[in-house]
Amino acid sequence: MTKVVELTGPLTEAQGARVAAAIRSAKGVVDLRINSPGGRYGSAIAIALEIEESAHAVVTTILGEACSAAALVALAGDQRRICEGGSMMVHFPAPSPRYRTSADERARTAAEHFRAICEYLPDAQPADVRQWMSEERHFTAREALAAGLVDRIASVSATPTVFVREPRKRAPTAWLRSWRDFHERHDLRAA
């Protein structure tokens, strides 16, 4: 049975926790439906961790937009889909005005985010990914498919549970390892 989870609107800490908990409690395939301008990078990481560590496949379906941190969540999916008329935007994370961070820390976060996008897109050239992120590149559904950001374009009517092939788990990415350790050390994944 497929469990539908929605990520809509700005990605806040509360929404990130809700989505991560919903994925964690799933008893089968998850269809994570996204329509978000992005938001908290830390919340995107928490969701990506749950997607990677879920025993079940998590299909990400972009209904409208998946920008910034929401694009990172979409890319973490075991199978990635976008509806016709949907869009994605990737960029380097902007420093939050809420936190004072050093230039070294901002550079480290940008490098980590770049590695994450490259790892989720093994067929893309790193130079292309860097250019997309530097330009804050917006992709239409067809451009996202051509660039390898998504696996297929889904019709809105087919969104509920129609899969081209049975979703399978992707191998865990290396870039999340330090975040996984951090979350476990600080018990941030408690339900």
Side-chain angles (χ1 to χ4, degrees), residues 19-74:
V19 170
I23 293 168
R24 188 179 319 119
S25 68
K27 305 290 186 228
V29 173
V30 173
D31 183 3
L32 176 55
R33 299 181 185 180
I34 303 168
N35 187 8
S36 173
R40 305 263 313 144
Y41 183 63
S43 296
I45 290 169
I47 295 169
L49 276 169
E50 291 303 333
I51 290 171
E52 286 198 4
E53 294 181 355
S54 172
H56 308 286
V58 178
V59 176
T60 52
T61 304
I62 302 166
L63 299 177
E65 65 179 344
C67 299
S68 189
L72 183 65
V73 171

Side-chain angles (χ1 to χ4, degrees), residues 40 94-101 106:
R40 305 263 313 144
S96 171
R98 228 173 117 183
Y99 303 104
R100 292 179 183 229
T101 56
R106 287 191 301 275

Side-chain angles (χ1 to χ4, degrees), residues 36-41 44 66-72 75 88-96 106 109-118 121 128-139 149:
S36 173
R40 305 263 313 144
Y41 183 63
C67 299
S68 189
L72 183 65
L75 290 171
M88 290 182 81
M89 185 274 286
V90 294
H91 69 140
F92 286 105
S96 171
R106 287 191 301 275
T109 300
E112 178 180 272
H113 191 68
F114 171 71
R115 279 193 313 276
I117 302 295
C118 287
L121 303 172
D128 292 339
V129 174
R130 185 176 300 284
Q131 183 175 355
W132 299 339
M133 293 175 73
S134 296
E135 295 173 350
E136 297 191 353
R137 173 80 189 274
H138 288 259
F139 294 85
L149 297 170

Side-chain angles (χ1 to χ4, degrees), residues 48-49 51-54 56-57 75-80 116 119-122 167-177 180:
L49 276 169
I51 290 171
E52 286 198 4
E53 294 181 355
S54 172
H56 308 286
L75 290 171
D78 296 305
Q79 187 179 104
R80 302 181 298 239
E119 201 165 340
Y120 285 136
L121 303 172
R168 294 192 190 129
K169 291 299 297 172
R170 291 183 195 265
T173 55
W175 80 273
L176 275 175
R177 191 168 298 122
R180 191 173 292 115

